[in-house]
Amino acid sequence: MRADGRAPDALRPIEIITGYQPYAEGSALISFGDTRVLCAASVSQTLPTWLEGRGRGWVTAEYAMLPRATNTRHDRERLKISGRTQEIQRLIGRSLRAAVSLPALDGYAITIDCDVLQADGGTRTASVTGGYVALMFALRGLVGKGLVSSDVFGPAVAAVSVGLVEGEPLLDLAYVEDSRAQVDFNVVMNDQHAFIEVQGTAEGEPFSREALDQFMALAEKGLDELFLVQQLALSR
């Protein structure tokens, strides 16, 4: 039995509150159990210099964890962000660009800010999943104003963790599980079951191809459930 009573293939309770920051073009507060991330999408007509005149828009992300998001305080990253933060930001940006037709977004850049209010494992997967919802509201606004075409919308994107804890494959790891996992994966996929990114490692013994297939099947099950949660949030 898992610490919170879940079955091995069960997600934590997922909640998405949309419009949480009314000044943002799109926003969502997402909860994966006790992990909570505030995602906000901001639209700009200032493109990166290297993209100017190339007939494409851009989607990028920034990620930060509040000082008391964890059980002990950590300093704010004011002047220099850590390697971990940079890696997570890039993951979120790559993932969410897969949900957009960048040529159809020509002339616009969208930044997704993901701020972790409370961390209990899976902050990057929550950021991708909630960031997609915030991004869709921002895109809807652009389409509704006639600034970009509806061709801008791509497949839905979500992310989830899977791992091996005490010899058992588990879906959506909380921190107490993630901290002692023998194998740990973060899986990003679209709703057409195409992989966008897979981050995985063996913390102890190597794992087999059969085990890898089992982890991916477990992730797919969880992601299909997350796509439904996203659709519900976007229908409100």
Side-chain angles (χ1 to χ4, degrees):
M1 181 68 70
R2 302 174 74 170
D4 55 9
R6 282 184 289 151
D9 63 349
L11 294 168
R12 287 174 287 181
I14 309 296
E15 182 181 22
I16 301 178
I17 301 173
T18 59
Y20 198 81
Q21 286 189 301
Y23 297 131
E25 282 80 5
S27 66
L29 175 65
I30 186 166
S31 299
F32 271 56
D34 288 333
T35 288
R36 296 183 180 87
V37 183
L38 178 57
C39 306
S42 300
V43 177
S44 169
Q45 289 184 279
T46 303
L47 290 170
T49 304
W50 57 271
L51 260 183
E52 291 177 359
R54 295 184 59 182
R56 300 172 65 204
W58 190 242
V59 175
T60 189
E62 294 193 9
Y63 169 96
M65 188 176 292
L66 296 187
R68 283 315 305 262
T70 57
N71 60 348
T72 58
R73 186 186 186 277
H74 64 271
D75 293 337
R76 297 180 190 272
E77 296 178 337
R78 298 181 186 274
L79 300 179
K80 183 179 179 181
I81 62 174
S82 68
R84 175 183 181 274
T85 296
Q86 291 184 54
E87 183 262 326
I88 293 174
Q89 289 183 167
R90 290 169 181 162
L91 167 69
I92 299 166
R94 286 192 300 268
S95 300
L96 296 180
R97 284 192 289 276
V100 178
S101 168
L102 295 177
L105 191 60
D106 183 25
Y108 294 92
I110 302 178
T111 301
I112 312 296
D113 288 295
C114 300
D115 291 291
V116 180
L117 309 183
Q118 187 165 293
D120 185 33
T123 60
R124 71 187 68 192
T125 55
S127 295
V128 170
T129 304
Y132 169 79
V133 174
L135 174 61
M136 287 303 104
F137 279 113
L139 292 177
R140 284 180 179 180
L142 290 172
V143 172
K145 293 175 183 176
L147 299 175
V148 301
S149 79
S150 59
D151 293 339
V152 75
F153 297 109
V157 170
V160 75
S161 64
V162 291
L164 186 71
V165 181
E166 296 180 0
E168 184 167 26
L170 300 179
L171 176 67
D172 187 20
L173 306 182
Y175 177 75
V176 69
E177 297 166 334
D178 182 62
S179 62
R180 56 194 177 92
Q182 291 86 53
V183 178
D184 184 20
F185 277 93
N186 294 301
V187 182
V188 187
M189 183 181 285
N190 66 27
D191 61 0
Q192 298 173 0
H193 282 199
F195 291 104
I196 297 165
E197 187 145 348
V198 178
Q199 299 179 333
T201 186
E203 301 290 349
E205 294 295 323
F207 53 87
S208 66
R209 173 59 183 270
E210 181 182 6
L212 175 61
D213 291 343
Q214 188 175 9
F215 292 135
M216 294 305 103
L218 190 58
E220 281 186 314
K221 176 186 180 297
L223 287 163
D224 281 340
E225 295 176 32
L226 289 173
F227 293 133
L228 293 175
V229 174
Q230 288 174 327
Q231 289 174 18
L232 180 61
L234 289 166
S235 69
R236 295 180 185 135

